[in-house]
Amino acid sequence: MSDETRYVYNVAHAVDPLGDLEEEAEKATKHNRAKVGSARPSSLLYTYGPGAIMDLPQFTIMPTGLDDWDRIWSRRESAPPQIHAPRLRDVVRLMLRSPDVQLRPYPWQPKKHSRSTEGNDLGVPARVFPQWLRCTGCDMLGLVTQFDYRNTHPFRTDLAVFEHAKCTGRAGAGVRKPTRRTAIPARYLLACVDGHLDEFPYDLWVHHGQPCAQAELPALKMVDRTAGKGASALIRCASCDMRRPMNEAQGEAGRAKLPRCRGRHPHLDAFEPKGCGNETRLMLVGASNLWFPATHSIIVMPESKEEKESDLADRVRTSLGEKLAKYRNSLDMVRDLLGMPGGVDVTGLTDHDLEQVLQAASAPTDTPEEQEQKLRDWDPVDLLVPEWNYLLRDIIGPGVEDPTSGLALATRERGESLPAAITRVLAVERLRKVNALVGFTRIDDMERAGDLPRRLVPLTRTPRPAWTVATEDRGEGIFLQLDEGAVAVWEKRVEDSALWTLHRKAHDRNFERRFSETAGKIKPSSRLKPPRYWLVHTLAHVLIRELALTCGYSAASLSERLYAWPADGDRPPAAGLLICTTASDSDGTLGGLVQLSEPQRLEGVVANALRKAARCSSDPICAKRTPQEPEDFLHGAACHCCVMASETSCERANRFLDRRFLLDLPGSTLGFFQAAE
């Protein structure tokens, strides 16, 4: 096993759609148009990224690993574009244990009109998965090679389809003339907790692990008359007439009948070199726990002088590569190399400045041991601290705008009736948010800190990837800061309360049940969010629900960014929130959210949000909900009728919420806003 790859992989099976198209052109055939669908960058990052299964109108596909994407980029003479976000890039490098990782957008180029050809050489490579298909006419179950593929219309990718060319219908329906019938994916898969995914072995399943006694390649059928009711299908071998229902593979009892995991990563077309051996679980193609992205994001802030110098040195280092050490002492040669296409602009630097940059670029990188230590010590809050610090800066004049970062802030006066605990209001008129994908998990989501590293499925076969995919969104928002003194006093009172004790015990139970393998290494209390986080989080949710009524965006389009942590070493305490909406196009959003930051309008929004939070249609059950042994839910007085938000809005999957921390509800006197008043 070389240093360049860590998986067993057959290069002859490489996914290369454009290469396939070129081969078809040489043969003078026109049936393969390569592209089979489209998706927004945000959905490719959070829903259908590499290793996920995407539903197309007629079949399902899986975007491949980033190794195959390089074949798309390599067909262009120009260097692939990069997304400039040094702070996020450094964290991604730490997560991927690769010192040279760059952030790249998805391979896409807009067209001038519907029939233009620019951008035809760009796209996300994917393979058909699962590759077991079922004929809708006769129930034949077979591999994709047993069906015909048709995709002849260049502007109707929804017509791409696999067909059974000579379907004669189901038995008992009389003799029919062979006709073409659509084939759809067989919906069963096998997955394990370490992120491996495999086809379901239908032939071995129906024959109880033995070969068919009547045929070397048995004819299988999947009889399914109750679609949508779990594992309700029946697998039948038409060669030997053996039958076996799929519901035998369900549940705890069914796991013992399933084969052990082979360690397969279909998005990489590779297997773990040492295998896996974990228990497998029966999964459905459309299961929501089949793919959980592991992403990190930042709001891009203006860079300090030190950050700009560090970023320039890094770009010089990655641009020159091995040539840096060779031509380190020849400034003219370095300038020529950096002036080539895809290089770094250093024309404005004097020789002395360039020498300083080269000195910084030549500094030794961290050793693997140092990288592992940094990874163990890293806290997701580290991404938020620079944002918080910048948002607290004094703004001279009505506003400030930074064209490089895309951030535009405007001061807002506090309305007279705004709660005194809200001390600062900013209108974030424009912002740029960058999101990067570092891997994914299956079956269970990946916790950002302290989880098992092996659960994170890599995006490439190479152990040190050169890049990862990222998206760049633009939008607007409203920033609110809470009074730190009032929050600190309130937080101490909550920590001494019986309610907080019950929440803490519920979190311990949840952590130990969900992360049993890490429970011995990590104290559950270190993962429990402090009371101020519950406060800020609950406030953000009730504001999102109220803002959605008048800002012109749906509640699902609004998202929260929470700054809530106590003082820790050199890190100052924080208690504030940013509610924003973003879009992936270059124009950003329309300004409806920012308008609500005006004093009179914001007063009404906050007052209505707090008033509505005092009541829930599920009260008194919701208002008094408190986890008791053996319950382990991570919320209190919160439900979908009053506080909980959509998955796209909440950064914590509706955990750490309790209305009793906002207001005094019946039986509770821990409300922050009543205490502050």
Side-chain angles (χ1 to χ4, degrees), residues 590-644:
L590 301 176
L593 180 59
V594 165
Q595 288 183 356
L596 295 181
S597 66
E598 296 174 0
Q600 186 174 358
R601 293 181 177 180
L602 185 61
E603 286 176 346
V605 168
V606 174
N608 289 336
L610 293 177
R611 176 178 56 82
K612 294 176 181 178
R615 283 193 160 187
C616 173
S617 58
S618 296
D619 284 343
I621 296 175
C622 177
K624 297 185 177 181
R625 182 181 290 110
T626 306
Q628 304 284 346
E629 179 77 32
E631 297 168 331
D632 62 358
F633 51 84
L634 302 181
H635 63 273
C639 69
H640 287 286
C641 298
C642 57
V643 172
M644 291 185 177

Side-chain angles (χ1 to χ4, degrees), residues 316-375:
V316 167
R317 180 182 63 82
T318 55
S319 178
L320 294 178
E322 297 178 353
K323 297 177 182 178
L324 175 60
K326 185 176 181 180
Y327 300 109
R328 167 73 175 78
N329 298 320
S330 177
L331 297 185
D332 291 338
M333 179 62 72
V334 168
R335 289 184 184 275
D336 291 341
L337 292 174
L338 294 176
M340 298 176 65
V344 180
D345 183 12
V346 293
T347 54
L349 298 181
T350 64
D351 286 350
H352 178 267
D353 292 338
L354 181 57
E355 178 63 33
Q356 295 294 109
V357 170
L358 294 177
Q359 182 177 351
S362 303
T365 57
D366 293 334
T367 65
E369 293 76 16
E370 291 172 334
Q371 288 181 348
E372 291 300 320
Q373 185 60 44
K374 284 186 177 181
L375 190 57

Side-chain angles (χ1 to χ4, degrees), residues 55 62 98 135 176 195 197 200 219 246 259 290 312 340 353 390 399 417 467 516 544 550 610 623 642 659 673 675:
D55 280 310
M62 174 180 288
S98 180
C135 174
R176 292 184 178 180
L197 188 68
F200 190 87
M246 288 298 302
L290 194 60
L312 178 59
M340 298 176 65
D353 292 338
Y390 189 85
S417 61
W467 64 280
S516 58
I544 285 175
T550 52
L610 293 177
C642 57
R659 287 185 292 136
F673 284 97

Side-chain angles (χ1 to χ4, degrees), residues 349-547:
L349 298 181
T350 64
D351 286 350
H352 178 267
D353 292 338
L354 181 57
E355 178 63 33
Q356 295 294 109
V357 170
L358 294 177
Q359 182 177 351
S362 303
T365 57
D366 293 334
T367 65
E369 293 76 16
E370 291 172 334
Q371 288 181 348
E372 291 300 320
Q373 185 60 44
K374 284 186 177 181
L375 190 57
R376 285 191 295 268
D377 296 339
W378 184 77
D379 188 336
V381 172
D382 294 342
L383 274 177
L384 300 173
V385 173
E387 299 174 17
W388 172 256
N389 291 337
Y390 189 85
L391 292 171
L392 294 188
R393 290 185 179 183
D394 292 332
I395 297 177
I396 301 176
V400 61
E401 181 175 357
D402 181 66
T404 303
S405 64
L407 184 70
L409 303 177
T411 56
R412 287 288 187 267
E413 295 183 0
R414 292 185 65 263
E416 294 181 357
S417 61
L418 195 68
I422 299 177
T423 59
R424 182 178 175 86
V425 179
L426 289 180
V428 186
E429 296 179 339
R430 283 188 297 279
L431 62 84
R432 184 165 66 97
K433 184 180 181 183
V434 179
N435 321 278
L437 183 68
V438 297
F440 63 89
T441 60
R442 304 194 191 277
I443 298 179
D444 195 12
D445 199 358
M446 182 79 175
E447 287 294 319
R448 295 188 182 186
D451 208 337
L452 293 177
R454 72 166 185 267
R455 292 188 58 237
L456 190 64
V457 181
L459 303 175
T460 62
R461 291 182 289 272
T462 54
R464 294 187 187 317
W467 64 280
T468 191
V469 67
T471 61
E472 195 172 22
D473 303 331
R474 288 172 170 81
E476 58 183 291
I478 300 175
F479 172 75
L480 302 179
Q481 180 189 358
L482 300 183
D483 180 18
E484 174 56 35
V487 170
V489 172
W490 170 87
E491 188 170 38
K492 180 64 171 64
R493 189 160 62 94
V494 171
E495 289 175 339
D496 296 335
S497 68
L499 176 61
W500 184 249
T501 299
L502 293 174
H503 278 316
R504 180 173 50 77
K505 291 181 178 179
H507 178 268
D508 291 350
R509 291 191 291 269
N510 181 287
F511 183 88
E512 290 168 358
R513 292 170 184 173
R514 189 179 180 193
F515 299 105
S516 58
E517 293 182 84
T518 59
K521 301 178 182 179
I522 300 174
K523 293 181 180 179
S525 59
S526 67
R527 302 288 291 278
L528 175 62
K529 292 297 180 182
R532 66 174 64 208
Y533 187 95
W534 293 61
L535 166 66
V536 173
H537 194 192
T538 309
L539 177 61
H541 276 226
V542 298
L543 289 177
I544 285 175
R545 295 168 74 97
E546 185 63 26
L547 288 167

